[in-house]
Amino acid sequence: MNVSISGHHISVTEAMDTAVREKLEKVERHFDQIQSIQVILSLDNSGASDGGKKSHKAEAIMRVSGQEMFVQAYEDDMYKAINEMADKLDRQVRKYKTRQERKKTQGAGRDSRYQDLTPAEAVPAA
């Protein structure tokens, strides 16, 4: 799995890098077919003009075969944002994996309806 971590309006420290990689290990344990994950840590000042606090944002783009998943999290603390981002990504991965497993079982379920019948019985009556 290829993980790239970058910062926007913020320098990524070694501690932030370690925190992101540790949190993404949990995601990788649930789903091992991840091609790459791009994480962007940034300081978002959009709420600063109206008296709001500056907010830390963590966003991730994960690529699996045939699909991209995007999550973002805003928190007052960067480490809280990283945790929230990893949790959201983990939920998306589990949802994606469940959908893939359902597709596999649905296909097998349709064909197995007539398995116990002889060829003459398998033809539905008109």
Side-chain angles (χ1 to χ4, degrees), residues 87-123:
D87 289 343
K88 286 181 178 182
L89 196 58
D90 191 44
R91 282 193 298 271
Q92 275 197 12
V93 163
R94 284 186 282 145
K95 188 176 178 180
Y96 174 78
K97 189 175 175 181
T98 303
R99 270 189 262 127
Q100 297 296 9
E101 289 171 357
R102 281 193 186 141
K103 284 181 184 178
K104 287 180 186 175
T105 58
Q106 274 182 344
R110 279 185 255 133
D111 297 335
S112 64
R113 288 186 295 182
Y114 300 112
Q115 260 182 344
D116 297 335
L117 303 177
T118 62
E121 295 172 325
V123 177

Side-chain angles (χ1 to χ4, degrees), residues 19-73:
V20 168
R21 291 184 191 278
E22 285 176 359
K23 291 296 178 179
L24 293 179
E25 283 177 9
K26 184 172 103 175
V27 174
E28 189 178 13
R29 270 186 270 141
H30 285 134
F31 191 66
D32 60 351
Q33 298 173 358
I34 300 169
Q35 294 172 347
S36 68
I37 301 178
Q38 180 182 4
V39 178
I40 302 167
L41 306 175
S42 60
L43 196 58
D44 186 44
N45 333 358
S46 61
S49 63
D50 57 0
K53 294 176 76 174
K54 288 186 179 180
S55 184
H56 296 273
K57 180 169 74 169
E59 52 189 1
I61 302 167
M62 184 174 76
R63 290 171 185 84
V64 295
S65 60
Q67 190 170 358
E68 284 187 354
M69 298 178 201
F70 176 78
V71 294
Q72 64 183 3

